[in-house]
Amino acid sequence: MGWTSDVNAACLGEFEVGSASDNNSCIYLTVGTGIGGGAILDGKIVEGFGHTEMGHIIIIAYYLAQALVNYTLILRSEKIILGGGVMDQPRMIDFVREEFSLLLANYVEPRIWFPTL
């Protein structure tokens, strides 16, 4: 039994039995009425003084892609998983994917999991 945030629990679920179950690290972002994020590195939830705050960014595809690039370069996670109601909006994944690729400019080759709509 443990205590954590809802988005850390979602990240742990993806890590244990979901799309990141074959990885040693992952980042989970949920984009809904707000943005929440959780990360697992070396099999452990990333926490410090409290849970991480990866949200608090404007919900525009460009800014979300920019955040993903930053998380990719800082945490070097094996996988990033996107969820939440806003990600179900038409073309949101496409816009984020396009901006992410442009911003990252082949600097590294991350394995990002974008859900298929």
Side-chain angles (χ1 to χ4, degrees):
M1 180 65 76
W3 182 263
T4 192
S5 66
D6 58 343
V7 75
N8 278 345
C11 187
L12 183 61
E14 290 287 350
F15 180 77
E16 292 288 333
V17 296
S19 63
S21 62
D22 58 342
N23 299 110
N24 200 26
S25 60
C26 70
I27 296 171
Y28 179 88
L29 293 179
T30 182
V31 185
T33 55
I35 296 177
I40 294 179
L41 297 175
D42 295 323
K44 296 180 181 139
I45 294 175
V46 175
E47 294 183 298
F49 179 67
H51 67 85
T52 58
E53 285 290 346
M54 291 191 227
H56 305 289
I57 60 176
I58 298 170
I59 306 175
I60 296 175
Y62 173 80
Y63 294 116
L64 185 53
Q66 192 175 45
L68 295 177
V69 167
N70 290 333
Y71 300 148
T72 297
L73 297 176
I74 293 167
L75 296 175
R76 297 302 299 229
S77 173
E78 293 174 87
K79 190 170 283 190
I80 296 177
I81 302 129
L82 301 174
V86 172
M87 298 314 300
D88 290 335
Q89 298 301 312
R91 297 248 319 123
M92 178 60 107
I93 290 289
D94 295 335
F95 288 135
V96 171
R97 186 182 290 128
E98 290 165 15
E99 292 295 333
F100 178 83
S101 295
L102 287 171
L103 290 167
L104 197 56
N106 294 320
Y107 184 69
V108 295
E109 292 185 37
R111 291 185 279 167
I112 307 265
W113 185 78
F114 291 103
T116 306
L117 298 177

